[in-house]
């Protein structure tokens, strides 16, 4: 069947929620995917920062296959070995003492918001307000939409849950002025990804941490997109030298298998007790097998270091492109989370790259986002930059 034929059927049956590139992808391996007609694409989207080990990494495929034939799902009414093992690895490699598993980024952020509220109400003496950043993105459930500091995502869904206030990102004074005696937490992305790949000034996260400590409020980092090695450290907070109280993960955690997690210190996690929070599918054996294989492979194959190195290489190539091409206004990012701000329409550049066999995404109207698998090589970067150059011309 051809792309076009299947897309006609899609138009009949699926809810109209996505603006999709007109292609049906059916196969992937490493940094490449193929469509239903056999056309090959170099994938610098990776399922939007999800397939960090590359598509169909053999270790993850094997782990899923093996687990699928052993036990796919058990309720959290029972203990589950893979959940215990994965939590142990995450705790060993992070600031966290405890982990709660769920199924997506929004669900992880919902969990983080609930944990902060419970801690604020019960331990901080009735504090409930959460300050988030303008330009942020935290998900599409009602609470995470309310946490998202961009009006365009709110429109049509009012009334949104209350208890959120927004301040300018990368401005610690604005944050200081916004904290009240009702504030229980500050929630932010270490790099704003959907908001156009905005990297804060060096020292900003440290200042936020210090302010949170001074005011006795929690610091929540949404590392749904920046976590799992994407920025050249296993977690982006490691660049800052400070640690959060709560952190959320999803996207690359399962290399494509849907899984999310809320990480927290012992002190904060203790606000949850049996009955406070739950998820039927959260942490099920199949998801845990995928995530455990993913995290172990990421560490064993030293892909975080490759992300750091390739991030520098790709950014250098794009900066050279900027010098040659007046349309490129700025190249920014950390590791392999890179945004190319252009003087033009990012969606049309995305479309042109696609026609030339390269998948990239937009992050807002004027930013082309590159979030390739962390396994990419210099030659993949060269190819991507060459296609992007043609598309910009
Ligand atoms: N938080 C951040 C920083 C994200 O980038 C995203 C998705 O792009 C989310 C949360 C929502 O994750 P999900 O789509 O898995 O619910």
């Amino acid at each position: 069947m051809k792309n076009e034929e299947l897309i006609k059927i899609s138009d009949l049956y699926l809810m109209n929620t996505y603006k999709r590139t007109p292609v049906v992808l059916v196969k992937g391996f490493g940094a490449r995917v193929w469509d239903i007609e056999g056309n090959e694409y170099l994938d610098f989207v990776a399922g939007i920062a999800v397939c960090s080990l590359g598509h169909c990494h053999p270790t993850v495929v094997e782990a899923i296959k093996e687990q699928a034939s052993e036990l796919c799902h058990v309720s959290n009414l029972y203990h589950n070995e893979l959940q215990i093992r994965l939590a142990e690895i995450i705790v060993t490699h992070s600031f966290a003492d405890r982990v709660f598993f769920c199924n997506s980024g929004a669900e992880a952020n919902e969990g983080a918001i609930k944990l902060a509220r419970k801690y604020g109400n019960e331990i901080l003496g009735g504090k409930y307000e959460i300050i988030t950043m303008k330009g942020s993105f935290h998900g599409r459930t009602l609470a995470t939409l309310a946490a998202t500091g961009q009006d365009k995502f709110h429109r049509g869904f009012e009334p949104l849950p209350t208890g959120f206030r927004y301040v300018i990102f990368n401005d610690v004074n604005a944050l200081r002025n916004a904290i009240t005696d009702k504030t229980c937490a500050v929630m932010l992305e270490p790099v704003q990804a959907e908001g156009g790949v905005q990297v804060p000034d060096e020292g900003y996260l440290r200042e936020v941490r210090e302010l949170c400590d001074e005011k006795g409020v929690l610091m929540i980092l949404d590392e749904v997109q920046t976590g799992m090695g994407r920025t050249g450290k296993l977690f982006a907070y490691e660049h800052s030298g400070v640690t959060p109280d709560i952190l959320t993960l999803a996207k690359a955690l399962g290399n494509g298998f849907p899984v999310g997690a809320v990480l927290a210190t012992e002190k904060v996690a203790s606000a949850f007790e049996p009955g406070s929070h739950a998820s039927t599918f959260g942490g099920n054996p199949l998801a845990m097998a995928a995530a455990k294989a993913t995290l172990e492979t990421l560490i064993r194959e030293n892909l975080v270091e490759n992300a750091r190195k390739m991030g520098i290489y790709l950014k250098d190539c794009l900066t050279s492109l900027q010098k040659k091409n007046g349309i490129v206004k700025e190249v920014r990012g950390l590791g392999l989370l890179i945004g190319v701000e252009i003087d033009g329409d990012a969606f049309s550049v995305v479309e042109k790259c696609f026609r030339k066999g390269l998948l990239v995404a937009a992050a807002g109207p004027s930013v082309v986002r590159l979030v390739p698998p962390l396994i990419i090589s210099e030659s993949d970067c060269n190819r991507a930059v060459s296609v992007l150059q043609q598309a910009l011309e």
Side-chain angles (χ1 to χ4, degrees):
M1 196 171 245
K2 297 240 176 203
N3 285 305
E4 213 178 294
E5 291 166 322
L6 210 50
I7 290 166
K8 274 196 189 130
I9 305 174
S10 163
D11 291 343
L12 292 177
Y13 296 115
L14 291 173
M15 284 204 198
N16 189 22
T17 55
Y18 301 102
K19 192 163 171 253
R20 302 182 202 249
T21 300
V23 67
V24 182
L25 298 175
V26 292
K27 190 175 160 58
F29 192 75
R32 279 163 177 77
V33 288
W34 288 267
D35 71 15
I36 198 165
E37 295 171 27
N39 300 307
E40 181 180 304
Y41 304 87
L42 177 60
D43 186 4
F44 269 46
V45 177
I48 317 190
V50 166
C51 302
S52 287
L53 307 184
H55 295 279
C56 298
H57 191 289
T59 311
V60 181
V61 171
E62 204 41 51
I64 292 172
K65 275 189 184 165
E66 219 175 88
Q67 191 56 42
S69 61
E70 284 292 327
L71 183 68
C72 284
H73 179 77
V74 276
S75 162
N76 283 307
L77 293 171
Y78 310 99
H79 289 278
N80 148 1
E81 180 175 1
L82 285 162
Q83 211 180 92
I84 301 165
R85 300 274 177 226
L86 178 60
E88 190 178 20
I89 302 172
I90 292 175
V91 165
T92 306
H93 287 88
S94 74
F95 76 99
D97 301 310
R98 293 193 181 266
V99 185
F100 174 86
F101 290 109
C102 55
N103 308 286
S104 69
E107 198 187 339
N109 285 333
E110 284 273 346
I113 290 165
K114 282 182 70 181
L115 180 58
R117 282 249 180 118
K118 191 114 191 323
Y119 186 86
N121 279 320
E122 292 176 0
I123 296 169
L124 299 178
K127 298 185 176 187
Y128 56 86
E129 192 177 76
I130 299 180
I131 299 178
T132 69
M133 303 295 147
K134 291 185 179 161
S136 60
F137 185 81
H138 297 296
R140 304 284 194 152
T141 60
L142 282 173
T144 59
L145 260 192
T148 293
Q150 298 190 61
D151 289 346
K152 68 177 181 190
F153 293 112
H154 296 173
R155 250 169 255 137
F157 297 106
E158 300 87 355
L160 292 175
T162 54
F164 296 91
R165 304 178 70 194
Y166 316 103
V167 298
I168 293 173
F169 184 56
N170 199 21
D171 181 343
V172 82
N173 284 327
L175 182 58
R176 176 177 287 282
N177 293 335
I179 293 177
T180 71
D181 59 357
K182 292 287 167 230
T183 308
C184 70
V186 173
M187 179 172 182
L188 72 165
E189 299 153 87
V191 175
Q192 288 190 336
E194 301 297 315
V197 189
Q198 308 292 348
V199 186
D201 295 340
E202 220 186 308
Y204 173 66
L205 284 189
R206 174 181 291 281
E207 287 177 316
V208 171
R209 174 75 271 178
E210 285 167 2
L211 183 58
C212 287
D213 289 342
E214 181 192 322
K215 300 281 185 186
V217 305
L218 300 177
M219 179 173 175
I220 307 173
L221 284 183
D222 177 346
E223 292 229 29
V224 165
Q225 191 148 165
T226 56
M228 297 292 289
R230 171 63 47 194
T231 67
K233 298 270 189 195
L234 188 55
F235 303 104
Y237 72 77
E238 294 172 35
H239 292 282
S240 71
V242 294
T243 58
D245 300 293
I246 303 175
L247 179 146
T248 54
L249 290 176
K251 287 201 181 273
L253 184 55
N255 205 50
F257 200 99
V259 52
V262 184
L263 284 57
T265 59
E266 179 70 43
K267 190 174 107 184
V268 177
S270 68
F272 271 174
E273 58 206 348
S276 301
H277 195 51
S279 165
T280 294
F281 292 123
N284 95 0
L286 205 48
M288 294 297 96
K292 181 168 168 291
T294 301
L295 185 51
E296 285 172 342
T297 306
L298 190 75
I299 294 166
R300 191 179 55 248
E301 295 187 359
N302 209 8
L303 295 176
V304 181
E305 175 56 14
N306 196 56
R308 189 189 68 78
K309 279 205 301 223
M310 287 304 111
I312 293 170
Y313 182 78
L314 184 54
K315 236 165 102 178
D316 283 352
C317 295
L318 292 165
T319 307
S320 306
L321 172 64
Q322 180 186 6
K323 286 181 188 137
K324 287 184 265 175
N325 191 310
I327 297 175
V328 178
K329 282 165 67 181
E330 194 184 9
V331 177
R332 51 183 187 249
L334 199 55
L336 284 173
L337 171 54
I338 297 181
V340 180
E341 170 124 36
I342 58 167
D343 190 6
D345 174 22
F347 294 97
S348 109
V349 174
V350 168
E351 159 83 14
K352 284 181 185 144
C353 287
F354 160 68
R355 298 280 167 215
K356 293 176 188 300
L358 171 71
L359 304 185
V360 290
S366 59
V367 177
V368 178
R369 175 175 28 170
L370 292 87
V371 278
L374 310 186
I375 54 161
I376 53 159
S377 61
E378 288 188 2
S379 78
D380 294 327
C381 294
N382 295 342
R383 161 108 199 278
V385 174
S386 144
V387 173
L388 188 59
Q389 179 170 4
Q390 292 167 42
L392 289 168
E393 278 160 11

mmCIF file of all heavy atoms in Angstrom, residues 20 78 118 121 127 134 139 141 170 250 283-284 327 352:
data_model
loop_
_atom_site.group_PDB
_atom_site.id
_atom_site.type_symbol
_atom_site.label_atom_id
_atom_site.label_comp_id
_atom_site.label_asym_id
_atom_site.label_seq_id
_atom_site.Cartn_x
_atom_site.Cartn_y
_atom_site.Cartn_z
ATOM 1 N N ARG A 20 0.525 16.007 10.634
ATOM 2 C CA ARG A 20 1.567 15.009 10.373
ATOM 3 C C ARG A 20 2.232 15.221 9.019
ATOM 4 O O ARG A 20 1.592 15.654 8.063
ATOM 5 C CB ARG A 20 0.956 13.612 10.364
ATOM 6 C CG ARG A 20 0.234 13.218 11.650
ATOM 7 C CD ARG A 20 -0.273 11.792 11.491
ATOM 8 N NE ARG A 20 -1.372 11.470 12.372
ATOM 9 C CZ ARG A 20 -1.299 10.636 13.396
ATOM 10 N NH1 ARG A 20 -0.164 10.051 13.699
ATOM 11 N NH2 ARG A 20 -2.363 10.376 14.129
ATOM 12 N N TYR A 78 1.102 -6.382 43.676
ATOM 13 C CA TYR A 78 2.146 -7.384 43.929
ATOM 14 C C TYR A 78 3.509 -6.775 43.638
ATOM 15 O O TYR A 78 3.624 -5.819 42.887
ATOM 16 C CB TYR A 78 1.926 -8.614 43.029
ATOM 17 C CG TYR A 78 0.502 -9.096 43.109
ATOM 18 C CD1 TYR A 78 -0.427 -8.750 42.128
ATOM 19 C CD2 TYR A 78 0.072 -9.835 44.200
ATOM 20 C CE1 TYR A 78 -1.750 -9.139 42.227
ATOM 21 C CE2 TYR A 78 -1.253 -10.223 44.313
ATOM 22 C CZ TYR A 78 -2.160 -9.875 43.333
ATOM 23 O OH TYR A 78 -3.462 -10.249 43.451
ATOM 24 N N LYS A 118 1.163 17.417 48.027
ATOM 25 C CA LYS A 118 0.975 16.627 49.256
ATOM 26 C C LYS A 118 2.022 17.053 50.283
ATOM 27 O O LYS A 118 1.710 17.247 51.458
ATOM 28 C CB LYS A 118 1.103 15.129 48.930
ATOM 29 C CG LYS A 118 0.672 14.213 50.038
ATOM 30 C CD LYS A 118 -0.560 13.437 49.637
ATOM 31 C CE LYS A 118 -1.234 12.668 50.772
ATOM 32 N NZ LYS A 118 -0.379 12.062 51.769
ATOM 33 N N ASN A 121 1.070 20.672 51.399
ATOM 34 C CA ASN A 121 -0.107 20.730 52.278
ATOM 35 C C ASN A 121 0.176 20.132 53.645
ATOM 36 O O ASN A 121 -0.213 20.690 54.666
ATOM 37 C CB ASN A 121 -1.291 19.992 51.628
ATOM 38 C CG ASN A 121 -1.981 20.872 50.602
ATOM 39 O OD1 ASN A 121 -2.162 22.069 50.811
ATOM 40 N ND2 ASN A 121 -2.344 20.290 49.468
ATOM 41 N N LYS A 127 0.837 24.706 51.983
ATOM 42 C CA LYS A 127 1.285 25.395 50.749
ATOM 43 C C LYS A 127 0.918 24.529 49.549
ATOM 44 O O LYS A 127 1.057 23.298 49.610
ATOM 45 C CB LYS A 127 2.799 25.609 50.800
ATOM 46 C CG LYS A 127 3.243 26.488 51.951
ATOM 47 C CD LYS A 127 4.732 26.751 51.881
ATOM 48 C CE LYS A 127 5.124 27.711 52.996
ATOM 49 N NZ LYS A 127 6.513 28.137 52.910
ATOM 50 N N LYS A 134 7.340 30.761 31.939
ATOM 51 C CA LYS A 134 6.771 31.111 30.635
ATOM 52 C C LYS A 134 7.585 30.390 29.559
ATOM 53 O O LYS A 134 8.808 30.294 29.672
ATOM 54 C CB LYS A 134 6.827 32.622 30.423
ATOM 55 C CG LYS A 134 5.870 33.322 31.366
ATOM 56 C CD LYS A 134 5.785 34.809 31.143
ATOM 57 C CE LYS A 134 4.780 35.368 32.143
ATOM 58 N NZ LYS A 134 4.884 36.809 32.360
ATOM 59 N N GLY A 139 3.136 19.003 29.380
ATOM 60 C CA GLY A 139 2.237 17.906 29.014
ATOM 61 C C GLY A 139 0.841 18.388 28.682
ATOM 62 O O GLY A 139 0.551 19.582 28.723
ATOM 63 N N THR A 141 -2.236 16.781 29.918
ATOM 64 C CA THR A 141 -3.339 16.541 30.861
ATOM 65 C C THR A 141 -3.717 17.902 31.445
ATOM 66 O O THR A 141 -2.962 18.872 31.298
ATOM 67 C CB THR A 141 -2.888 15.606 31.983
ATOM 68 O OG1 THR A 141 -1.793 16.219 32.668
ATOM 69 C CG2 THR A 141 -2.460 14.248 31.444
ATOM 70 N N ASN A 170 14.804 31.913 33.156
ATOM 71 C CA ASN A 170 16.166 32.446 33.143
ATOM 72 C C ASN A 170 16.258 33.804 33.838
ATOM 73 O O ASN A 170 17.122 34.612 33.521
ATOM 74 C CB ASN A 170 16.667 32.540 31.686
ATOM 75 C CG ASN A 170 18.181 32.627 31.604
ATOM 76 O OD1 ASN A 170 18.880 32.246 32.536
ATOM 77 N ND2 ASN A 170 18.683 33.146 30.495
ATOM 78 N N ALA A 250 10.656 10.476 31.111
ATOM 79 C CA ALA A 250 9.783 9.659 30.249
ATOM 80 C C ALA A 250 10.551 9.483 28.935
ATOM 81 O O ALA A 250 11.696 9.042 28.970
ATOM 82 C CB ALA A 250 8.421 10.280 30.041
ATOM 83 N N GLY A 283 4.982 0.924 35.629
ATOM 84 C CA GLY A 283 6.022 -0.004 36.074
ATOM 85 C C GLY A 283 5.737 -1.454 35.744
ATOM 86 O O GLY A 283 6.284 -2.356 36.393
ATOM 87 N N ASN A 284 4.897 -1.713 34.750
ATOM 88 C CA ASN A 284 4.597 -3.121 34.471
ATOM 89 C C ASN A 284 5.828 -3.834 33.906
ATOM 90 O O ASN A 284 6.759 -3.206 33.401
ATOM 91 C CB ASN A 284 3.297 -3.276 33.672
ATOM 92 C CG ASN A 284 3.459 -3.384 32.174
ATOM 93 O OD1 ASN A 284 4.551 -3.360 31.634
ATOM 94 N ND2 ASN A 284 2.346 -3.503 31.494
ATOM 95 N N ILE A 327 19.881 33.130 6.628
ATOM 96 C CA ILE A 327 18.570 32.791 7.202
ATOM 97 C C ILE A 327 18.705 32.267 8.631
ATOM 98 O O ILE A 327 17.802 32.416 9.445
ATOM 99 C CB ILE A 327 17.854 31.722 6.320
ATOM 100 C CG1 ILE A 327 17.591 32.313 4.940
ATOM 101 C CG2 ILE A 327 16.554 31.257 6.947
ATOM 102 C CD1 ILE A 327 17.015 31.324 3.962
ATOM 103 N N LYS A 352 10.839 20.518 3.661
ATOM 104 C CA LYS A 352 11.867 20.394 2.617
ATOM 105 C C LYS A 352 12.897 19.331 2.986
ATOM 106 O O LYS A 352 13.348 18.568 2.128
ATOM 107 C CB LYS A 352 12.553 21.740 2.386
ATOM 108 C CG LYS A 352 11.696 22.692 1.583
ATOM 109 C CD LYS A 352 12.395 24.003 1.331
ATOM 110 C CE LYS A 352 11.433 24.954 0.643
ATOM 111 N NZ LYS A 352 11.603 26.332 1.082
#
